[in-house]
Amino acid sequence: MDHRKRTLLGLALLGTISPVMALGKGGKAAPAKRHDALDAELAAIARDPACELASLSVLAIRNGKVVYEQQFGQRFYGNGAAPDKPVQRDTLFRIASISKMMTTLGLMRLVEEGKVDLDRDVSDYLGFTLRNPNFPDRAITLRHLLSHRSSLRDDVGYSWGADTALKDVLVPGARLYGKGGMWASNAGPGDYFTYCNLGWGITGTIMERVTGERFDRLMQRLLIQPLGLSAGYNPAELPNGAVSRLATLYRKRATDDNAQWNPAGPWVPQVDDYATRAPSEPAGIDNYVIGANATPFSPTGGMRISAHDMGTVMLMLMNGGVHNGTRILKQSSLDQMFSRQWTYDGKGGNGDSLDGLFNAWGLGNEQFPDDPATNTRLVEGGGFAAVGHLGDAYGLMSVFVADLKNKNGMVALVGGTSTDPLAYKGKYSSLARFQEQILTSMYRRAILVPEK
């Protein structure tokens, strides 16, 4: 079946996936300005049998104002013990690697306070020497970590329990060091881009070391509470009522094999399934040592937040670090964070683009120059250059992209897919096809077209 026919079929099924009305204060339905054509397009995308979406929550900002918010599908699919629950404006998603950008925003506040220096040897903060043994004379800095040029690799993992210190993994000869598979042998710090989750576990640990605060609570102080967000890196300590608003993340699987995609199978929970149980603290938390290993709180991917609150973060960035009249970050800090640190040479000589997914990077943020030659176009036909981040984990596919100069931006959170996204590739970028469709629809109907 060609894509046009699948889209028409999706439109015919709109009655089964009506967009959810935005919620006002107290959770009551609030009147919303209608974008009927955009609602219909997004609902069709969400129901497309080529790749059905378990849930979808989106937001668009035009000229510094939120002009569109909408939700589709279910944040929880009933299992007999609990009923279906629709996605709502305040539904929180585990946003995967967009968490890295949020962590970096917290870190930049510590830079402003003089607690860390982006170009200082991180060994000075960690309390042990962090060196690639193949390049022992070259220091690793936060700038290297934040731009994925540290020479670290994820080959031995990037998350460990509270009973493990990072030095037990990263220092040659330590009990979990093994053969040193976390270190590149052919490129030293600053030489080569390789996307590396482990760098954010180290960054979060440094943040703990210099403040004496546990990472999840530190991020509450640095970013979440100042912005008035209902969010967090630890489900067990989310604000009152937030757990009940969490989206369970799904993939469609064969009933007898949870490892295989099956578009005809059921929605199988992957993470954040708290319909019948409360989230628990990370294992071993009673013996947690602040500054030894922050990975139990996943600075790399563990933030839970709604699309609506991600819009609050985006507006703060667009307003030069100011939120509701209060300065959160200096404009100079944001300028440094979003300055280009690495650009792919197109040949693989200075980095791994991961089949065109990564082409340019700042500090904790990906950059999309809107160049058809490098697959960096976010919308069909081009016209939207942006900075931000993507996320992909446990079925979730997330996008946070902002044109900070023109104050336009989009957030799209997908809580699960029926088909392997790698088998549903985009037509003009390295995004999944449904991501291209969502962003293009919002760009054309909510950003290019003035609100009516």
Side-chain angles (χ1 to χ4, degrees):
M1 184 183 297
D2 67 33
H3 178 73
R4 182 180 62 84
K5 291 180 179 178
R6 289 197 300 265
T7 300
L8 290 174
L9 178 59
L11 284 168
L13 294 170
L14 285 180
T16 66
I17 186 166
S18 299
V20 179
M21 183 172 287
L23 296 182
K25 293 183 178 179
K28 296 181 180 179
K33 293 184 178 179
R34 302 303 299 167
H35 292 77
D36 293 337
L38 180 51
D39 288 347
E41 286 183 7
L42 294 177
I45 294 165
R47 270 310 264 185
D48 189 339
C51 189
E52 186 179 358
L53 310 182
S55 56
L56 172 63
S57 186
V58 297
L59 174 143
I61 293 173
R62 181 179 184 272
N63 195 25
K65 295 181 180 179
V66 175
V67 293
Y68 183 75
E69 295 185 77
Q70 197 56 275
Q71 303 83 39
F72 308 83
Q74 308 295 325
R75 72 179 188 271
F76 178 78
Y77 284 84
N79 55 13
D84 287 356
K85 298 178 181 179
V87 186
Q88 297 174 314
R89 181 173 178 255
D90 58 359
T91 295
L92 286 75
F93 291 75
R94 188 185 192 276
I95 59 172
S97 286
I98 298 177
S99 305
K100 293 180 175 70
M101 188 182 68
M102 303 298 187
T103 295
T104 306
L105 289 170
L107 176 72
M108 294 306 292
R109 294 202 68 187
L110 300 182
V111 172
E112 289 186 356
E113 294 172 6
K115 288 185 167 60
V116 291
D117 185 319
L118 295 174
D119 297 305
R120 185 172 174 177
D121 186 342
V122 297
S123 304
D124 297 340
Y125 303 120
L126 288 168
F128 63 89
T129 300
L130 184 70
R131 285 285 191 281
N132 183 331
N134 302 301
F135 302 89
D137 297 328
R138 296 171 63 176
I140 296 171
T141 68
L142 279 164
R143 189 178 302 276
H144 292 143
L145 294 172
L146 298 176
S147 58
H148 298 281
R149 298 175 301 130
S150 66
S151 76
L152 280 162
R153 303 290 183 262
D154 287 334
D155 294 15
V156 300
Y158 53 86
S159 182
W160 295 270
D163 60 344
T164 298
L166 287 185
K167 66 180 181 180
D168 295 337
V169 178
L170 298 173
V171 175
R175 65 185 182 90
L176 298 176
Y177 183 78
K179 297 181 180 180
M182 71 290 293
W183 294 112
S185 60
N186 59 347
D191 291 343
Y192 195 85
F193 175 98
T194 299
Y195 190 87
C196 181
N197 293 283
L198 177 54
W200 262 261
I202 296 171
T203 298
T205 302
I206 290 170
M207 293 170 69
E208 288 192 345
R209 287 274 301 184
V210 301
T211 63
E213 299 173 66
R214 206 173 77 177
F215 177 78
D216 59 325
R217 295 170 179 170
L218 174 62
M219 285 301 296
Q220 289 285 338
R221 178 176 71 81
L222 293 175
L223 186 71
I224 294 168
Q225 292 175 359
L227 289 174
L229 311 177
S230 179
Y233 285 76
N234 178 6
E237 290 198 358
L238 284 172
N240 290 338
V243 171
S244 66
R245 304 195 306 272
L246 265 175
T248 300
L249 304 184
Y250 292 93
R251 293 185 175 106
K252 277 204 170 183
R253 299 299 207 187
T255 56
D256 58 348
D257 187 353
N258 191 35
Q260 297 297 319
W261 294 91
N262 181 4
W267 289 112
V268 177
Q270 305 295 299
V271 73
D272 285 354
D273 183 5
Y274 299 123
T276 59
R277 63 183 179 88
S280 57
E281 294 279 4
I285 198 65
D286 291 341
N287 298 315
Y288 189 82
V289 178
I290 292 174
N293 168 26
T295 66
F297 298 108
S298 190
T300 189
M303 190 180 200
R304 277 78 169 176
I305 187 173
S306 67
H308 177 77
D309 277 355
M310 292 171 76
T312 299
V313 176
M314 188 177 287
L315 288 171
M316 180 271 290
L317 299 178
M318 292 175 175
N319 292 327
V322 175
H323 169 70
N324 286 346
T326 299
R327 179 161 295 284
I328 308 299
L329 282 160
K330 297 176 182 178
Q331 180 66 64
S332 58
S333 297
L334 297 180
D335 291 344
Q336 182 169 205
M337 178 174 166
F338 291 103
S339 63
R340 184 73 57 84
Q341 303 293 313
W342 171 81
T343 302
Y344 184 51
D345 65 5
K347 303 175 182 178
N350 71 337
D352 180 2
S353 73
L354 205 63
D355 294 327
L357 187 61
F358 305 129
N359 287 279
W361 215 264
L363 296 176
N365 62 93
E366 186 172 358
Q367 307 195 348
F368 306 89
D370 192 41
D371 182 355
T374 57
N375 288 344
T376 59
R377 281 194 162 169
L378 292 167
V379 298
E380 189 169 357
F384 184 69
V387 296
H389 217 292
L390 307 175
D392 179 358
Y394 302 108
L396 173 126
M397 301 283 285
S398 56
V399 178
F400 178 112
V401 286
D403 175 352
L404 299 180
K405 179 180 179 180
N406 294 307
K407 297 188 176 183
N408 299 322
M410 294 178 282
V411 173
L413 304 179
V414 170
T417 61
S418 64
T419 303
D420 184 351
L422 293 177
Y424 192 45
K425 295 181 179 180
K427 290 186 176 181
Y428 55 84
S429 74
S430 293
L431 300 175
R433 179 57 183 155
F434 62 82
Q435 291 176 309
E436 290 182 342
Q437 293 170 310
I438 291 167
L439 294 177
T440 296
S441 291
M442 285 202 292
Y443 180 66
R444 289 176 175 174
R445 296 196 179 274
I447 294 177
L448 286 185
V449 178
E451 185 178 16
K452 296 180 180 179

